[in-house]
Each structure stands twice: as structure tokens, then as C-alpha cells.
Amino acid sequence: MTEAAAEAGRAHRVRPPRPGRAHWARWARAAAVARRGTRLPPLVGDSLLPALLLVHVLTTHAPPELPAAVALTAALALPLLWRRRAPRAVFAAVTAAAFVQWLVGVQLPADIALPMVLYTVAANTGRRSTLLAGAVVQAGVLLACLRWAPEGAFLTPFVAVTATVVAAAVLGVNVRTTRAYLAAVEERAGRLEREQEQQARLAAAEERTRITREMHDIVTHNLSVMVALTDAAVYAQHRSPQRATAAMLQISETGRQALTDMRRALGILRTDEPDAERHPLPGIAQLESLADQMCAAGLPTRLEVRGGHEHVPATAQLTVYRLVQEALTNTLKHTPPGTTAEVRVRCSTGAVTVDVTDSGACPPLPAAAPPGHGLPGMRERAAAYGGELRAGPLPGGGWGVRTRLLLDGGTVSA
């Protein structure tokens, strides 16, 4: 009974904090370490009581009674060494020895083994086994009190021993419940840690996808513009050196802008660099310079922005800019000279509508040509704000790209 109370006390010594993702993990680890650090080896604790009971019998009983007392004490106490490994078998052995003891009519201190094995059964088995074991022990209590209780004083020892039996069973059930609760908490802590690792990996994958999309837009657009300007400079270097010089300067400026955007997309631009202040994240206000850049590259572009865009979030403005940039870059790469483009952006309270059209014919790509990443990336950007991007040939000729970004409640991901 002393060991049972000690185990129950240790089980209730630590109280869990309020549920929380980090608290669950820390508390479960601390509880596991506390249980491992304060508990004696099981074999040492289980062998202590049988040894004390045998010593007590050897020192208190007369020689004529000693053989029977030692044999019964050994039969009652020694099975306790295996009570953790086989609680039901040990319970059966101890109760059988107790019944033999009752038949012989010898009272021994080793009867304390009965509440202990009942506690062990309650702590390590299910409810049905606990109820059956408690009924068997209670029947033994009734038989023992009927035989050894003083005449006229049956009720007092019966109630006292019954209370001991009930306490042993309740302590065992309590320890089993606490043990199961701690195991569930530890399992939940491990599951939460795995979920955190998975979320971290998903966040890293999403960040890699975002950087890849940004780099695709930046590199594709700026390289396309630089190639077009280079061709124009080569063509004009003999006929109009001034135009060739202006094209080369535009190439240099486009290259610097591309490097700045790449550093920002990769997250390695230091905050103390002056470029961080000179080149904010592009948005709707920068569409005019984008249109001028496309005009310089040989694609006449007309821009029309309706409605104020001050209320549009910076991330949504970046999405609008990248969509227009990708559409114009595709027009510059895939349409013949003389093509014109038109960009229309309409800003309202809850949405931004983007239309990009051109007048050039877009011949179908060869079957062997690998699919690009432009349109899928544009669709992903539009889907992040609840929009559906539509791209295809126009009835009167040319190509069109249209989408509508929702600003109030339409955001799927930041």
C-alpha cells in the first residue's frame, strides 16, 4: 500500500498547463524525465517487501510454527517480484496462497500482498479484470472476517479491510488513467512537433515557389526587353548613332533594374543599401514606367488606369504589376514587329480588374515545344486573390489576358 500511494502521488505531482502547442511538448518531456528520474528500478522495489516479510516471520514465530509460516509467507510474497510482468497470473497465485492460508487457519502479515496485487491488476489491466479481482479479494475479506474477527466485533474489521481493498483498487485505476493520459499527451506532443516540421517544410516550399515565380517574371521580362533593345541598337548603330546610344543606355538601366529586383526577390538586399529606398516594390504606379520601357523595346503600349489605387494592398499591386509585365513580355516575344498593346486597369472598392490585349497574331507553338511557366504562374497569382485568369485569342484578332482580383474576402493566400 505504501508503494501504491507513492506511485499515485508521483503521478499527480505535476499538473499540466493550459493547452498550447509549445506547452504540450515541454510539459510532456518534463513529466517523462521526472518519472524516469525519481523512480527506483522495478525489481528493487518489488523485492524489498518480500524480504522484509520473510525476515519478520523468521524473527517472530516459534520454531514449531516456523516452517508453515515461512512457506505461506513465501507463497504470498515472492510472486510480487513478477507482478508487473504478469499481473493476472501473480494475482491468481497470491489469492490461491491466501485461500490455503485460510484453510490452514494461520494469520500472517504477508496478507498485505492481496491489496498490492489488486492494485497491480487495477493499474495494468482493464475495467473488467479490476472488477473481477476486487470481487475475489472482497470475498476473501468476508471469509477472513467471519473466521478471525472477535465475537461481536465483525463490522469494524470488515469495514476497515474493505476500505483498504477499495482504496487499493481506486489507486490502481487512478494510476492507470494518469499513465494513459500522460501517454496521450506525449503522443500529442510528438504529433504537434511533426505537424510543425511539416508546416515549416510547406512554408519553405511555398517560399521557394514564390521566389521561383518572381525570378521567372523578372528574368523573362528584362531579358526580353534587353534582347529587343540590343537588336534595335545593332540595327541603328550606323544610320542613327544617337538612337543606338539611347538603346544601349536603356539596356544598362534595364540590367540594373533586373539586378535590383533579383536581389530583392532572393531576400539578400541589405536594408542599409540606398537601392532599398530608391526601388520600392513595384505596383500600379510603376505601370507607366513599364509601358515606357516596352515602348522603348519596340512594343507601343497604351496604359489606362481608372479609379484610385491607394487602398489596394501592396501585395495585390505587386500581383497586378507582375501580371501586366508577364503579358507584355509574352507579346514582345511572340508577336511580329508592328504589334501594339493596350493595358486597362480598373480599381474599385473590392476588386481590381486587369485587361491586357495586343493586335498581333500569335501562331501556335510547335508540338515539341516545352510548355512555359508564364501562364501557370499568372494563374497562381490570380488565384491567390480569388481571381480566374483567362487568356486566349480575341475574336477580332490578337491576344487578350483578363483577370479580376478580389480585395475583400477573396484572398486565398498571402
Side-chain angles (χ1 to χ4, degrees), residues 135-340:
V136 171
V137 174
Q138 187 60 29
V141 170
L142 179 61
L143 293 176
C145 291
L146 287 175
R147 183 163 190 172
W148 290 308
E151 187 175 354
F154 169 81
L155 187 59
T156 300
F158 179 77
V159 172
V161 180
T162 299
T164 303
V165 172
V166 172
V170 170
L171 283 175
V173 171
N174 192 17
V175 169
R176 185 185 72 227
T177 304
T178 304
R179 190 183 299 140
Y181 175 73
L182 292 177
V185 169
E186 291 178 2
E187 191 274 335
R188 180 179 179 181
R191 186 173 66 252
L192 291 177
E193 289 182 354
R194 291 191 297 269
E195 290 178 357
Q196 287 179 342
E197 293 176 359
Q198 292 174 357
Q199 290 176 359
R201 287 194 295 266
L202 289 176
E206 291 177 357
E207 183 66 14
R208 286 194 295 268
T209 302
R210 185 192 66 81
I211 293 176
T212 301
R213 190 166 55 236
E214 291 288 335
M215 294 299 295
H216 170 269
D217 293 344
I218 293 170
V219 173
T220 301
H221 168 73
N222 288 285
L223 285 182
S224 299
V225 172
M226 293 171 71
V227 169
L229 290 173
T230 302
D231 292 339
V234 171
Y235 179 78
Q237 62 179 342
H238 299 297
R239 299 183 180 183
S240 179
Q242 294 83 4
R243 294 182 61 184
T245 301
M248 297 302 294
L249 292 175
Q250 185 67 30
I251 292 172
S252 176
E253 178 62 26
T254 303
R256 283 193 292 269
Q257 180 65 37
L259 290 175
T260 300
D261 292 342
M262 289 173 63
R263 287 198 301 268
R264 183 183 296 111
L266 295 175
I268 59 175
L269 185 63
R270 296 193 301 270
T271 57
D272 56 348
E273 289 191 26
D275 287 345
E277 298 181 359
R278 283 206 303 267
H279 300 285
L281 287 175
I284 297 176
Q286 282 71 40
L287 289 178
E288 185 175 355
S289 61
L290 177 63
D292 295 339
Q293 190 181 50
M294 301 308 295
C295 291
L299 177 64
T301 303
R302 189 172 73 89
L303 174 65
E304 178 184 351
V305 179
R306 294 184 179 179
H309 58 270
E310 292 79 8
H311 68 283
V312 181
T315 53
Q317 292 199 34
L318 176 62
T319 299
V320 172
Y321 182 89
R322 293 303 185 202
L323 291 176
V324 174
Q325 184 186 56
E326 180 65 25
L328 294 178
T329 302
N330 291 338
T331 301
L332 181 65
K333 291 195 302 182
H334 300 299
T335 56
T339 301
T340 60

Side-chain angles (χ1 to χ4, degrees), residues 1 4 80 83 91 94 110-122 137 141 161 164-169:
M1 290 300 297
L80 296 178
R83 67 186 181 92
F91 178 82
V94 172
D111 291 334
I112 191 66
L114 285 170
M116 289 197 64
V117 293
L118 175 60
Y119 160 81
T120 304
V121 169
V137 174
V141 170
V161 180
T164 303
V165 172
V166 172

Side-chain angles (χ1 to χ4, degrees), residues 27-93:
W27 179 75
R29 294 195 195 96
V33 171
R35 292 200 310 273
R36 289 193 297 266
T38 59
R39 182 179 297 176
L40 291 174
L43 186 60
V44 174
D46 292 339
S47 61
L48 184 60
L49 182 61
L52 292 176
L53 292 174
L54 288 174
V55 170
H56 179 269
V57 168
L58 291 174
T59 56
T60 58
H61 283 71
E65 302 174 352
L66 189 59
V70 171
L72 291 174
T73 300
L76 288 169
L78 290 181
L80 296 178
L81 297 175
W82 296 276
R83 67 186 181 92
R84 300 177 190 272
R85 300 178 184 177
R88 293 185 179 91
V90 170
F91 178 82

